[in-house]
Every structure is written in C-alpha cells, then in structure tokens.
Amino acid sequence: MARDESQNTDRRTFLQAGAVATASALSLNAGAPAQDAPAKVAAIPTRPLGKTGVNITMLDQGAVRTQNLEGIFRLAFANGIRVFDTAKVYGSEKDFKKWFEHVPEVRKQIFLVTKDMPRTPKQMLGMLDQRLATLGTDYVDLFFIHALGDDHSLDAAINMVTGQEFKETAEAIRKSGKARFVGFSSHNKNRAPIIDAAARAGIVDAIMLQYSPWLEKDSPLNRALDACHEKGIGLITMKQIAGQFFGDRPKTNVLDEVVKRVPMLAEKKLTPFQGLLHAIWTDERISSSCVSMKNTDQIRENADAARRFEPLKTAEIQQLRDAALAHGPMLCADCDGRCSTAAGTTAELGNLTRFLTYHEHHGERAEARRQYAALSAEARDWLGADLEAARAACPNRLDFVTLLAEVERHLA
Ligand code: SF4
C-alpha cells in the first residue's frame, strides 16, 4: 500500500496488536544478517500464477525507490513475502544487487519481476540483458513490457503483444533462461482491449494491471480478466489501494469512519486497508497483489492481512466500496476514460488524478511532475470541461473540481 509516512498515525491505530509479534524483533538495518534468517513468521499463502506451474505469494513487494530499500526487502522476506517487483524506471534494481551480494542464496528463494519499455518486441532482448546486469543476477522470473499503452497507440500496443515478432521474442527469452516468463503491465485507459487481445493471442504468461475490487461485472476489463483466467494467464494487481480513503484531506479520522460504516472490519479485526486486500483476493482470478510497501508498519499490516485472508461476501465488498466512495477516492482505479467523454474534454482526467495520487500518496513527487509534463497540452487542458458530468460518469465518483485544483497546485 503506497501511502506516505504522514498517514501512519491513522494507520497504526488499526494495526492488530500481536498479530505480527515474531516480526517485531526485526529491524530495518540492512547490515544485520539475522534479518534474513528468522522466518518464524507464518508463511504467506500462495496461488498459482496462471498455468506457469509456479505458485507465488499473494502479496508482492513493490520496489519503488525509497530509503534503505535493502532493509525493506529483508523485512519483507522475513515476513514471508516471496515476490518482488521492480523496473528500470524505479531506480531500485541496484538495491537488489546489493541484497544478492550480501545474501546470495536469497535470489533463488524469491520470484523476481522487472520491466522495461521497448518500442518493438525485439528490443526486449537487449533490454533484458541490461536489467540483469543492473540487478546482479543471471535470470529474472518474469520480464514485463512496462506500462503498455502509454507510449503506443492502441493498435500498436495490441500488435506489440499479439504479433509474430513478440511470439518469437518471448520464446527466445524463455529459451535463453534469462527470464522464465514474459508479459506486460498496464494502467492505461485502454488496458481492457489490450488485455483482451493478449488473452486471445495467448503468448504472454502473466499480466500486471491496475485493478479495483469493485469492477462492474459486465465491464470490458472484467470480461478481459475472465478471458485471461480461462487461458491460464497469471494476473497480478497493482495501484489498487492508494488514494482510496484519502482523496480529500481528512478533516476527521477517515479510517475511524470507515470502520463504523463497515462492521465486518471490527468483527474480523481488519484495518480498512487489510479489508481492501481481502476484497481483492476474494477474486480468485488474481494471483498476487503488488504493493509498494515503504515502511515496517505497511509490511507487517499487509503480510498479516495475507495470512488471515478469508474470502469476503459480496455485501461486505459493497460496504467497503461505499465507504471508499464516501471519502473521495483520488485514484481512478478502473479507468476507461468515460469521465473525459462525459465532460466533453480532451483532457485525460483519469491520468491527471493518477499523477496527483503519485504526488500525494506514493511520495513520488518528481515522477508525478515528470509524467504530468509529458502529457500533451490537450491532455492537460480541462478548462470548459463539465466536471460534474465527469463525476457522475465516473464509477469511483472522483471529485474532479477539487482534485483538478490540486493537480494545478502541485503538478502544473
Ligand atoms: S471515469 Fe473515473 S475511473 Fe474512469 S477514467 Fe475517469 S477517473 Fe478513471
């Protein structure tokens, strides 16, 4: 869960005392070898990653650049997490290299994912070599095309993962042993048709996607996930939590209010964030959830959620959804761009709010400004847009009037 430190006071209120007692002896001092050893913590449940034949932990440590990442990795590992996710642009691969140098045996005990941004499938071969050199390993478990759809037209993105060149490249990569599996990640507004086409082509082993636990049953994205599941393509979620309960700056203790609105949280002794993870894992199509955990509390809370996972009832998920919507979510989690269409604007309202989430909740201020600056003038220009119509069209009921003012204040 990528929330910044400023939220920790609220979050600690909801941590389950004693649930992570064995982990409490661990510190984030990367130099202490004991951190990799204790593992007296109960194992985190695993699920099959599609038809790869590999089972992965339901919780995946996202490795966006932050302080003392090697210490974070060690704590995540000691808490039972065995999937680690990085990318060239995260700048965190060198921290894995340090970890592997200090504890070489750990490399084979984790499922390592990295990503890069090729324009054409063939470029993946050279890019993978570069990633391996930076990571200090001779193989990764999964190599993703990063953020598919952002730098390609919809047609080009679909061709990228369905064409002959990709098929041959993916086969060459698997055969080389440099990556066991190949796929792509996407948070693009066009990810539903891209994922659907990839499922039909059946070349990729796994897909990582921006996901919401309250996808509409008949939505294109939900149907695309069904197609993946039928084909045995592994699904990993990302960006599922950030901004859900903190869209507006809370004037009251938002988390207290969420707990009041969703009685099952107290009954099951779950924090709102743990409840959201349980809602996601209730979807059996999902193999694992990638969360950019940046501190001890987040790792412990999420690992505890995974160990205590039990599927939620539909009514419980709906309660969580209503509570999340009531508190002004910031991130558009199941974006297909309908807000911009309803508002009659060329502005990419979903992307603008996503970059604001990076700025406000992921602690990625420079990256948020960079991505905002990379948008075209039309994609940024929401003047004259009918923002109330956009809010009405948005399944997450994003408050664009408030959020876009924040976008202007922080990113423009
Ligand atoms: S309607 Fe909402 S969920 Fe869809 S793109 Fe717009 S902001 Fe995202």
Side-chain angles (χ1 to χ4, degrees):
M1 269 165 238
R3 280 94 66 191
D4 62 31
E5 294 288 338
S6 65
Q7 294 157 2
N8 283 347
T9 306
D10 277 343
R11 300 174 79 254
R12 282 194 192 99
T13 309
F14 292 90
L15 287 175
Q16 306 306 307
V20 289
T22 23
S24 65
L26 303 171
S27 77
L28 286 179
N29 174 4
Q35 288 170 343
D36 299 297
K40 289 223 166 155
V41 180
I44 287 187
T46 61
R47 286 183 172 178
L49 181 66
K51 61 176 186 202
T52 61
V54 173
N55 282 10
I56 60 172
T57 50
M58 289 161 60
L59 188 58
D60 170 350
Q61 170 71 53
V64 175
R65 191 91 193 94
T66 189
Q67 283 187 334
N68 189 17
L69 252 184
E70 189 189 347
I72 297 278
F73 297 158
R74 287 170 180 250
L75 188 69
F77 185 87
N79 272 273
I81 297 168
R82 293 292 180 270
V83 189
F84 289 77
D85 178 280
T86 183
K88 178 184 180 183
V89 296
Y90 297 168
S92 58
E93 289 173 325
K94 61 184 188 313
D95 298 278
F96 281 98
K97 186 173 187 177
K98 277 197 271 168
W99 189 26
F100 300 151
E101 282 168 0
H102 293 145
V103 196
E105 61 273 22
V106 85
R107 171 62 200 93
K108 289 208 168 103
Q109 297 173 31
I110 65 168
F111 188 92
L112 182 61
V113 186
T114 194
K115 324 180 192 75
D116 206 337
M117 302 173 115
R119 297 291 310 170
T120 64
K122 276 212 176 103
Q123 290 177 343
M124 294 173 74
L125 296 161
M127 287 178 164
L128 178 55
D129 284 337
Q130 289 170 9
R131 307 281 41 87
L132 295 179
T134 310
L135 282 160
T137 180
D138 55 5
Y139 78 101
V140 291
D141 295 279
L142 179 53
F143 186 44
F144 278 143
I145 299 169
H146 196 173
L148 187 60
D150 288 8
D151 293 330
H152 296 82
S153 67
L154 174 57
D155 284 349
I158 287 176
N159 287 339
M160 181 92 169
V161 287
T162 59
Q164 188 62 22
E165 184 183 327
F166 180 67
K167 187 166 192 264
E168 288 169 7
T169 304
E171 279 167 8
I173 287 173
R174 292 184 199 108
K175 202 165 163 198
S176 73
K178 292 177 181 175
R180 297 167 71 197
F181 308 113
V182 176
F184 65 89
S185 70
S186 184
H187 48 223
N188 190 267
K189 68 178 182 182
N190 287 323
R191 66 194 181 286
I194 297 170
I195 291 171
D196 191 57
R200 285 170 210 296
I203 302 170
V204 295
D205 301 298
I207 295 171
M208 181 185 217
L209 74 148
Q210 187 175 326
Y211 172 86
S212 157
W214 26 83
L215 279 178
E216 290 163 21
K217 188 168 176 294
D218 293 325
S219 67
L221 185 56
N222 200 48
R223 290 203 300 267
L225 299 189
D226 277 341
C228 287
H229 194 56
E230 276 162 30
K231 274 282 177 88
I233 294 171
L235 295 171
I236 300 173
T237 67
M238 63 170 168
K239 297 186 168 71
Q240 54 262 306
I241 304 288
Q244 289 284 18
F245 294 126
F246 297 101
D248 298 318
R249 298 209 175 276
K251 297 180 187 66
T252 58
N253 188 332
V254 171
L255 295 181
D256 273 340
E257 290 182 16
V258 172
V259 170
K260 274 189 214 142
R261 280 172 166 266
V262 187
M264 73 88 184
L265 292 173
E267 286 158 19
K268 298 188 176 185
K269 295 190 168 49
L270 296 173
T271 71
F273 296 107
Q274 289 178 317
L276 276 169
L277 282 172
H278 281 206
I280 293 163
W281 293 326
T282 298
D283 184 340
E284 290 174 347
R285 299 171 300 183
I286 305 303
S287 301
S288 185
S289 293
C290 180
V291 186
S292 294
M293 294 168 276
K294 292 180 180 167
N295 60 50
T296 312
D297 284 350
Q298 291 176 358
I299 291 171
R300 290 174 179 167
E301 179 180 352
N302 295 344
D304 174 50
R307 285 185 212 106
R308 294 196 293 128
F309 169 66
E310 286 174 9
L312 298 186
K313 299 188 184 101
T314 304
E316 293 170 336
I317 294 175
Q318 282 166 351
Q319 278 178 354
L320 263 178
R321 175 184 189 276
D322 292 346
L325 296 188
H327 291 290
M330 176 180 286
L331 182 71
C332 91
D334 48 348
C335 164
D336 62 7
R338 69 187 80 165
C339 48
S340 298
T341 307
T345 179
T346 56
E348 295 177 8
L349 302 181
N351 273 336
L352 292 172
T353 56
R354 185 159 58 85
F355 301 156
L356 181 64
T357 308
Y358 293 169
H359 187 279
E360 295 291 279
H361 295 304
H362 291 201
E364 295 164 20
R365 300 188 165 203
E367 179 61 14
R369 287 197 203 97
R370 187 191 71 74
Q371 294 208 29
Y372 176 85
L375 287 176
S376 67
E378 296 76 39
R380 279 187 251 149
D381 181 12
W382 51 270
L383 287 179
D386 183 345
L387 298 182
E388 285 308 325
R391 181 175 194 163
C394 174
N396 289 323
R397 300 287 179 267
L398 295 198
D399 177 3
F400 293 103
V401 173
T402 305
L403 294 173
L404 292 174
E406 293 288 294
V407 168
E408 294 296 311
R409 196 154 74 88
H410 295 297
L411 304 182

